[in-house]
Amino acid sequence: MFDKWPTKLNLELSTACNAACPQCSRYLDDDPELGIVENPNLPQNTLTLDVLKTLIDYEWLKQAKHIKFEGTHGEPTMAKDCIDILRWFREVNPTVTFALHTNGSTRNKDWWRELAQFFQYHPDRRSAVTFSLDGIEDTNHIYRRRTVWKKIMENAQAFIDAGGVAVWDMIVFEHNEHQVLTARKLAKSMGFFSFGIKVSQRTLIRPIKWLKQPKTWKDNQGTGTVKINCIGKQFDELFLSANGLYMPCCFINENAYGPAMPSTQKEIEEVLGDFSQYHSSHGLDHALELFHRVSDRWETNPMEICKNMCGNGHWPDRLQQKQVSEVWPKNFQTRWKETIESTDL
Ligand code: SF4
Ligand code: SF4
C-alpha cells in the first residue's frame, strides 16, 4: 500500500468523547429505552504521553511532515496529555505541522489559549484546529449531542485570540441548511481562518429517521467504476489508533468495530486477521507489510470498504459525496486569509 514510510499520521489520541453524535461509530443506534448506548465492540482507550513514547518510532517521527489528531472514535482533547504530546512531537521534530479536529466543547478557555501556541500562523508550515460546528446556537447540538454552545464559543474565541489558526467545518443537514450564511458570518466575525461546508455520507451509510440531507443538496450517483484510488496513499497518511494499532486507514479503523454495515466489518476482520498483529510494538515495517493484505486485492477483488470509500460510488445503490459548495455558490467555501491545503486539514 505504501512504498515507503508515510510522512503523515492520523493519530487517534482517545476513544473517549464528551459528545454523542448519532452516527458516530462509538455509539450504537439509540435504544428506545436506554437512549444513547456505547458500542460494546469498541475497545476503549486513551493514550498518555508515556505510552505514546513507546508506540511511536523516533526515526519515523524525526522525518514526519504532518500529524493530524483526529482518529475515528473519539475527541482528541479528552486525552489528559494532549498538550504535552504536542509539545513532545515539536521537541523531537521542530518543523512538523499539526491538525486537530474537535467539537470544541471540552476543557476551558485557559486550556485552549495554551493549545494555541502549537497552531500559530506560519506561511510555510500550516497548522490548524478544525472546529466541527454543525450549525449555530439552536442547532449545533442536534447532531453534536451533549455539546454546549456557550462553552464552544468561549473556547474557540480564546484559541483564536491567542493566535491559533481555527477552521470552522459545518456538516449541512436539513435542520441547519438555512443557517449556513449566519454561521459563515459568525465564523468571520470571530476570526476563524476559514469556513467550509459539507454533506455527510453517513446519512446514506447509517440512515437515521430524523436526520435528513439538506434540500439544497443533489445526490451524485456513483460512476460505477471500481478503480481504487486509495485516499490514504494519496495523502501519504498512516493511521495509529488509540489502542496502539497501525491500521491501513481511518475508514477501515472506523468500520472495524461496527456498528454500521456488519458485512463490511466482517470482511475487514477476515482480510486483516487478528488485529493484535498490527500493534505498533511490532514496528512500522511489519504493519506496512501487513497492509498488502488490503492493497494486493485492489486490482482483482477489492474490499467493500475500498470500493466504497475510494472506488467511486459503490455503496449500495448510490454514494458519492457531493460537496454542498457544488450546489451553492463557490464563495460559501471561503478562506479569508490564505488557502490551506485541504489534505493538511
Ligand atoms: S464528536 Fe466525534 S468522536 Fe465525539 S461523538 Fe461526535 S463524531 Fe464521535
Ligand atoms: S478504504 Fe482502502 S483504498 Fe480507501 S484509503 Fe482505506 S485502504 Fe485505501
Side-chain angles (χ1 to χ4, degrees):
M1 181 171 166
F2 297 107
D3 305 326
K4 52 183 177 45
W5 283 0
T7 55
K8 297 176 186 166
L9 174 70
N10 184 343
L11 174 60
E12 182 175 67
L13 282 188
S14 177
T15 54
C17 191
N18 56 311
C21 305
Q23 291 167 314
C24 178
S25 298
R26 78 182 303 279
Y27 298 102
L28 303 179
D29 290 344
D30 289 356
D31 182 273
E33 284 171 22
L34 301 173
I36 296 166
V37 184
E38 288 189 2
N39 178 356
N41 288 330
L42 176 69
Q44 298 280 348
N45 198 25
T46 296
L47 292 171
T48 62
L49 176 59
D50 287 344
V51 170
L52 195 63
K53 282 180 175 176
T54 67
L55 300 178
I56 296 271
D57 185 318
Y58 270 60
E59 289 310 309
W60 176 85
L61 180 53
K62 281 193 270 181
Q63 56 89 61
K65 288 188 179 153
H66 185 70
I67 299 175
K68 178 167 73 176
F69 298 84
E70 184 177 42
T72 57
H73 293 100
E75 160 66 40
T77 64
M78 295 290 283
K80 78 172 173 47
D81 291 350
C82 182
I83 286 182
D84 290 339
I85 288 169
L86 284 154
R87 187 175 293 115
W88 176 65
F89 280 144
R90 273 276 162 80
E91 279 167 11
V92 178
N93 180 342
T95 59
V96 71
T97 54
F98 297 131
L100 185 145
H101 291 242
T102 180
N103 60 53
S105 192
T106 56
R107 309 282 189 159
N108 60 27
K109 289 186 281 184
D110 288 342
W111 189 89
W112 286 91
R113 264 186 219 109
E114 194 183 350
L115 183 73
Q117 68 186 287
F118 301 100
F119 295 90
Q120 299 289 306
Y121 179 75
H122 188 293
D124 305 320
R125 294 198 296 274
R126 292 157 184 163
S127 296
V129 167
T130 297
F131 289 81
S132 299
L133 306 178
D134 306 328
I136 52 174
E137 186 168 14
D138 59 337
T139 50
N140 181 51
H141 60 277
I142 295 174
Y143 190 74
R144 301 279 157 184
R145 297 188 301 192
R146 294 181 177 161
T147 64
V148 179
W149 184 254
K150 185 168 177 290
K151 190 177 176 63
I152 297 168
M153 289 293 98
E154 283 176 0
N155 289 342
Q157 195 65 70
F159 175 81
I160 291 167
D161 291 347
V165 174
V167 171
W168 184 315
D169 185 42
M170 175 176 176
I171 304 177
V172 185
F173 299 100
E174 189 182 70
H175 65 255
N176 65 12
E177 65 183 314
H178 60 292
Q179 294 176 324
V180 169
L181 191 56
T182 311
R184 179 176 175 269
K185 277 184 187 156
L186 180 58
K188 188 169 187 185
S189 71
M190 288 176 69
F192 274 84
F193 194 89
S194 69
F195 174 80
I197 48 179
K198 65 188 180 193
V199 173
S200 170
Q201 59 192 12
R202 287 198 177 92
T203 307
L204 301 174
I205 297 167
R206 193 176 171 191
I208 291 185
K209 233 184 215 168
W210 54 267
L211 202 56
K212 301 229 168 23
Q213 298 286 43
K215 288 196 173 115
T216 38
W217 182 72
K218 290 193 187 98
D219 196 7
N220 181 16
Q221 303 286 331
T223 62
T225 56
V226 282
K227 186 165 171 41
I228 305 299
N229 195 6
C230 175
I231 292 173
K233 193 173 174 177
Q234 280 178 60
F235 284 10
D236 199 27
E237 183 183 274
L238 187 66
F239 187 94
L240 180 61
S241 80
N243 290 297
L245 306 181
Y246 284 128
M247 290 296 244
C249 67
C250 58
F251 307 124
I252 288 180
N253 192 67
E254 178 172 6
N255 288 283
Y257 308 99
M261 304 183 296
S263 60
T264 297
Q265 182 190 354
K266 192 160 170 279
E267 189 186 42
I268 291 171
E269 287 169 357
E270 283 168 2
V271 174
L272 266 64
D274 183 354
F275 290 170
S276 67
Q277 302 167 83
Y278 296 79
H279 195 271
S280 66
S281 57
H282 300 303
L284 182 52
D285 289 331
H286 179 72
L288 297 187
E289 191 58 39
L290 292 175
F291 292 171
H292 281 286
R293 293 177 185 181
V294 175
S295 56
D296 285 353
R297 301 164 58 109
W298 284 341
E299 286 291 323
T300 52
N301 183 26
M303 294 167 72
E304 283 300 308
I305 190 80
C306 296
K307 285 196 279 185
N308 296 331
M309 301 314 302
C310 306
N312 199 11
H314 269 258
W315 287 120
D317 299 330
R318 62 209 171 99
L319 179 76
Q320 185 61 28
Q321 181 172 348
K322 185 164 184 167
Q323 298 288 323
V324 179
S325 55
E326 291 180 33
V327 179
W328 286 340
K330 275 211 163 43
N331 64 2
F332 275 88
Q333 202 80 17
T334 304
R335 303 190 193 288
W336 289 288
K337 295 178 184 167
E338 190 183 325
T339 302
I340 295 180
E341 285 172 21
S342 59
T343 52
D344 286 344
L345 298 174

